[in-house]
Amino acid sequence: MSRYAAPGSDGAVMKYKSRYDHWIGGTYVAPKQGGYFENPTPVTGASFTEIARGTAEDVERAIDAAHDAAPGWARTPAAERAAVLNRIAQRMEDHLEELAVAESWENGKPVREALAADIPLAIDHFRYFAGAIRAQEGSLSEIDEDTVAYHFHEPLGVVAQIIPWNFPILMAVWKLAPALAAGNAVVIKPAEQTPASVHFFMSLVADLLPPGVVNIVNGFGAEAGKPLASSPRVAKVAFTGETTTGRLIMQYASENLKPVTLELGGKSPNIFFDDVSTADDDFYDKAMEGFTMFALNQGEVCTCPSRALIQQGHYRDFLDAGVARTEKIVQGHPLDTETMVGAQASNDQMEKILSYLDIGKQEGAKALTGGTRAELGGELEGGYYVRPTILEGSNSMRVFQEEIFGPVVAVTGFSDFDDAMATANDTLYGLGAGVWSRDGNTAYRAGRAIQAGRVWTNCYHAYPAHAAFGGYKQSGIGRENHRMMLDHYQQTKNLLVSYSPKKLGFF
Amino acid sequence: MSSADQAEGERTAAPVPERVGFTEEAATMIRRLTQQHGPLMFHQSGGCCDGSSPMCYQLGELRTGDSDVLLGRLAVDGVDEPVPFWMSASQFAYWSHTHLTVDVVPGRGSGFSLEAPEGVRFLIRSRLMEEDGG
C-alpha cells in the first residue's frame, strides 16, 4: 500500500493555494463584498483553503465576461474549438495524479477511484466532444425544386452551470465539454462543499482557453447560485442536485422563458435474477461486484444502486455472499491507494446518512452489516466516515424510497419477473437501474420495462462519454453525455431559401 | 400576497396530528434567519446530493401548488408568522407514516437554502407516527 502525501505537505504531488478568488475573464477577481469561507477536507475535517463568497455583483461580472467572450468563441471554427478541447484533455492527462489527489482531498473519495475513473473519464469526455463537434453537420431539406431549408447549429450564447459535489471535476467536465464544443461561453458555480478542485483544474488549463469563455463564481446557493440561475442574461441553466432546488431553478427559468436541464438523482434498483447463481464463475463474481457497487464513491452517486432486488430462489445465498463481499471492502485514508471507501463529502452529509440508518432501524429494516459511523481514529478522527451498510427490509420503507447518498443498500426479494418490475418501478425516480441475468431475453425485457434513463445490463457504474445519461420521472429533464448533449447547448437556425425568381401570386 | 399564502388558503392542509416539529437549535436558527430575511418557509427536498434535506427560503420564494402538501406550521417563539413546512404530494405518499423533526447540524449544505452561509445545515430526523397520530 502506498499513500499520497496530503496536498501541500512534503512530497505532495500538488498543492492548493491558500485562497481562491473567482475566476472571471481569465483572471482571479476578489469578491466584491470581500467575504471568504473556509473549505474543509472531509478526510480530517480540517480546513485547507478559503474560497470567495460570491454575491450577485460577482455573478454579474462573470456574466459580463462571458458575454464579452461568447461571440468570438462562437465564431471560432469547430476544428479550432476541438483542438482546444483536445489540448485540455492532454494537459489533464499530463497532470492526472495531481488532479486525482486534488479531488480526493477535497471530496473524500478514494484516490484509486479518482485515478482510474473520475479523471480519465473527464479527459475522455473532452476528447469525445472534440470529436463529436467535428463530425456534427447541419442538414438541408429540399422543399421543392427551387426552395431549400437549411438547418444550422448555433450556440446558445452564455450558459450557467451549477455543479454538484460528488464528482467535482468530472461533473464540471460533463457540463463544460459539450457547452464549449458547441461554442458557448460558460459561468460555472461549483458546489460550496467542493469549490477548490475545479479551480485547481482551471489553473492547469487556463492558458489554453480565451479569457471569459469559462468563468467560475464561488459562493453559497442563496447568495451566488440564485442570482446566476435567475439571471435573464443566461440562455440556459444546467443543474445537478435535488428536487426542490430543481423546481426552484425551473421556476426562475420560467420567469425568464429559458430552458433548463436537470439531473436530480434516483433510487436505482439493481436486480439479480435467480439464474445469476447457476454457476460460480466469472459472471457470478462480476454480479457480486455489481451488488457491492453501492459503496462506490461512498454511495455519493446519483445512480447509486441503492436498492438490491434479489429473486427468491437464490435470495439467501446471494445475499450472504453479498454481505461477505461487502465486509471485504477496505475503508480508510482516501489517499491510500488500497482504500476502496473513503470519507463522506461533508459533516451534514454524514449526519443525514446516520439519520436514515436510524429511521431504517425504526421501520424494522435489519442491518446485515455496517449500520454505524466508522471510527477510524488517528488523524481521521475528525473525518466523516460511514461503514458500508446492507439493510434488509421492504420497498415501502423510507430507506428504499429516498436517495440516502451514502454507502447504504436496501435489499428485498422478488418472486418473478412481474414482481421485480413492479418493485423496481415503485419509486419517484428513474435515473439508473441494473439488471443481472444469464438469459438475454429476460435481461432485454427487464431493461425495456424499467422506467429509468439508463439500465446497466450485466454491468454497473460504467460512464462512457458515448452513452446518454439522464432521468425518467422525477429524476430530471434532458440528458448528459453522448453527442445528443450538443442539442442541449445549441439552437437550430433554419434558413428557408427560395431560388426562384417567380412571385407566389397572392398579391 | 405570496404564492405560498394563496396556495395555503385554497387547499386543505394536512392533518390534525402533528407531523413536523423542530429542535431548540433549529428554532434558534429560524429566529436568526427570520431577522435577516423576514418570514420563511420550508420545502422538503428529495433526490440527489442534498436531497432529503429541508430547504429553507423566504416565504413564497418557491412557488407551491396543487402538487404539494402542507405538513404543518412551525410555531417558533419570537417568530411572528408560523413557518409553513411543505413537501411534494408524491413524496409525502412515501413519507406519510413518519413524523419529522427539523434539526440543524454543522455543515455546508448546498442548494439555495438560507442557512448554509451560517455554517450549518437543516436536517430532518424521523420517527414513526404513533397510532393515534403525532
Side-chain angles (χ1 to χ4, degrees):
Chain A
M1 184 171 72
S2 63
R3 180 185 296 184
Y4 284 96
S9 65
D10 286 348
V13 295
M14 63 79 62
K15 68 173 186 178
Y16 278 111
K17 291 164 35 135
S18 59
R19 166 184 280 192
Y20 286 95
D21 286 313
H22 305 302
W23 179 258
I24 297 174
T27 186
Y28 288 109
V29 175
K32 178 88 175 174
Q33 294 195 9
Y36 292 85
F37 62 96
E38 296 286 311
N39 187 27
T41 168
V43 177
T44 66
S47 179
F48 65 94
T49 183
E50 63 176 10
I51 306 290
R53 180 174 168 178
T55 54
E57 301 99 305
D58 304 321
V59 170
E60 286 303 310
R61 188 160 172 181
I63 295 174
D64 287 343
H67 274 285
D68 289 345
W73 184 242
R75 280 195 305 271
T76 303
E80 257 179 67
R81 293 202 303 266
V84 170
L85 265 54
N86 277 323
R87 282 182 213 120
I88 291 173
Q90 189 58 48
R91 187 70 61 80
M92 292 179 77
E93 194 158 278
D94 294 342
H95 296 271
L96 194 151
E97 275 188 307
E98 293 104 297
L99 285 161
V101 168
E103 197 184 44
S104 173
W105 191 245
E106 178 166 54
N107 165 278
K109 68 178 65 211
V111 71
R112 74 173 201 157
E113 276 179 26
L115 285 166
D118 299 32
I119 306 304
L121 285 169
I123 293 165
D124 186 60
H125 219 72
F126 276 115
R127 292 191 172 131
Y128 174 80
F129 279 102
I133 198 66
R134 294 294 304 276
Q136 188 185 39
E137 293 180 355
S139 69
L140 66 82
S141 310
E142 187 177 324
I143 309 298
D144 60 39
E145 197 178 6
D146 288 323
T147 313
V148 179
Y150 298 95
H151 298 102
F152 297 87
H153 300 289
E154 295 184 352
L156 298 177
V158 173
V159 298
Q161 303 182 325
I162 300 179
I163 312 297
W165 44 261
N166 55 347
F167 295 84
I169 293 176
L170 181 60
M171 290 301 100
V173 170
W174 272 20
K175 289 184 167 47
L176 268 178
L180 295 178
N184 300 279
V186 179
V187 179
I188 276 191
K189 218 282 288 169
E192 44 269 58
Q193 293 96 328
T194 55
S197 49
V198 176
H199 277 293
F200 180 70
F201 156 76
M202 185 52 66
S203 73
L204 294 176
V205 304
D207 62 307
L208 304 175
L209 281 160
V213 169
V214 177
N215 306 278
I216 304 172
V217 179
N218 290 107
F220 296 103
E223 297 174 348
K226 181 187 163 185
L228 180 60
S230 60
S231 171
R233 295 203 296 141
V234 300
K236 177 235 171 73
V237 181
F239 171 71
T240 297
E242 30 60 50
T243 55
T244 296
T245 307
R247 275 178 59 172
L248 200 51
I249 284 172
M250 282 190 87
Q251 180 187 309
Y252 296 144
S254 79
E255 290 163 12
N256 293 318
L257 292 174
K258 305 292 187 196
V260 295
T261 45
L262 303 172
E263 200 274 82
L264 305 177
K267 188 67 185 176
S268 303
N270 205 8
I271 302 168
F272 299 90
F273 287 95
D274 276 341
D275 66 40
V276 167
S277 293
T278 51
D280 185 7
D281 55 2
D282 279 353
F283 179 77
Y284 180 80
D285 185 48
K286 182 187 183 192
M288 195 48 65
E289 182 190 48
F291 170 85
T292 316
M293 281 291 186
F294 72 87
L296 189 87
N297 205 45
Q298 298 69 245
E300 293 169 348
V301 192
C302 301
T303 41
C304 174
S306 55
R307 289 188 297 151
L309 314 184
I310 305 172
Q311 197 165 6
Q312 280 159 3
H314 71 147
Y315 180 86
R316 189 45 60 188
D317 290 345
F318 187 86
L319 183 51
D320 287 349
V323 171
R325 186 73 160 245
T326 300
E327 288 176 345
K328 284 190 188 148
I329 289 174
V330 177
Q331 184 165 28
H333 196 298
L335 294 181
D336 281 341
T337 53
E338 301 299 311
T339 292
M340 301 176 193
V341 168
Q344 307 306 140
S346 65
N347 178 64
D348 48 307
Q349 182 56 26
M350 179 181 72
E351 290 279 357
K352 187 179 84 181
I353 296 164
L354 297 177
S355 79
Y356 267 101
L357 298 179
D358 177 48
I359 187 63
K361 227 167 279 175
Q362 291 184 52
E363 287 191 272
K366 189 171 154 198
L368 303 182
T369 187
T372 61
R373 184 175 180 175
E375 306 282 356
L376 300 180
E379 62 173 316
L380 306 184
E381 189 62 41
Y384 318 129
Y385 299 86
V386 176
R387 293 171 64 204
T389 297
I390 300 175
L391 300 177
E392 191 179 19
S394 66
N395 198 57
S396 61
M397 294 175 177
R398 290 262 309 271
V399 290
F400 280 79
Q401 290 298 336
E402 265 301 307
E403 184 162 354
I404 298 173
F405 232 56
V408 182
V409 63
V411 183
T412 193
F414 66 90
S415 55
D416 57 15
F417 182 90
D418 290 343
D419 188 28
M421 294 306 102
T423 305
N425 287 329
D426 180 11
T427 172
L428 299 175
Y429 305 103
L431 189 58
V435 170
W436 298 83
S437 173
R438 294 172 193 266
D439 181 73
N441 298 352
T442 300
Y444 174 79
R445 285 190 298 121
R448 296 302 300 271
I450 295 169
Q451 294 154 17
R454 172 175 295 170
V455 182
W456 278 283
T457 306
N458 293 330
C459 60
Y460 208 95
H461 269 338
Y463 297 92
H466 206 156
F469 181 90
Y472 280 33
K473 294 155 77 174
Q474 293 191 25
S475 288
I477 297 172
R479 291 293 179 270
E480 297 195 281
N481 295 254
H482 195 272
R483 188 188 60 190
M484 70 177 72
M485 188 59 199
L486 291 172
D487 296 342
H488 287 307
Y489 284 108
Q490 290 175 322
Q491 279 285 13
T492 298
K493 167 63 57 66
N494 167 235
L495 291 193
L496 188 51
V497 181
S498 171
Y499 292 102
S500 167
K502 299 291 188 191
K503 66 182 175 187
L504 285 175
F506 282 136
F507 299 105
Chain B
M1 180 184 261
S2 73
S3 62
D5 291 332
Q6 289 166 18
E8 284 161 34
E10 290 161 10
R11 236 163 314 115
T12 314
V16 184
E18 181 196 282
R19 292 195 162 274
V20 55
F22 52 89
T23 63
E24 201 37 58
E25 292 77 13
T28 302
M29 185 51 56
I30 290 169
R31 274 191 290 274
R32 186 185 304 174
L33 294 173
T34 303
Q35 282 165 11
Q36 291 174 22
H37 303 285
L40 303 175
M41 66 181 290
F42 281 101
H43 193 277
Q44 173 64 42
S45 191
C48 185
C49 305
D50 303 277
S52 319
S53 296
M55 298 293 170
C56 180
Y57 304 128
Q58 286 179 317
L59 185 66
E61 178 76 17
L62 179 80
R63 186 184 180 285
T64 52
D66 289 345
S67 62
D68 295 291
V69 175
L70 177 63
L71 266 63
R73 294 169 179 279
L74 311 182
V76 177
D77 283 346
V79 174
D80 291 342
E81 280 195 58
V83 182
F85 190 104
W86 295 89
M87 182 187 293
S88 75
S90 53
Q91 192 165 331
F92 183 68
Y94 288 107
W95 286 49
S96 59
H97 62 291
T98 53
H99 176 280
L100 311 179
T101 300
V102 180
D103 195 5
V104 68
V105 295
R108 167 85 15 103
S110 106
F112 297 173
S113 200
L114 291 171
E115 80 284 11
E118 308 292 322
V120 296
R121 189 75 184 88
F122 285 118
L123 176 85
I124 286 296
R125 299 195 189 280
S126 308
R127 63 174 166 81
L128 298 177
M129 294 284 286
E130 306 289 343
E131 290 288 320
D132 55 353

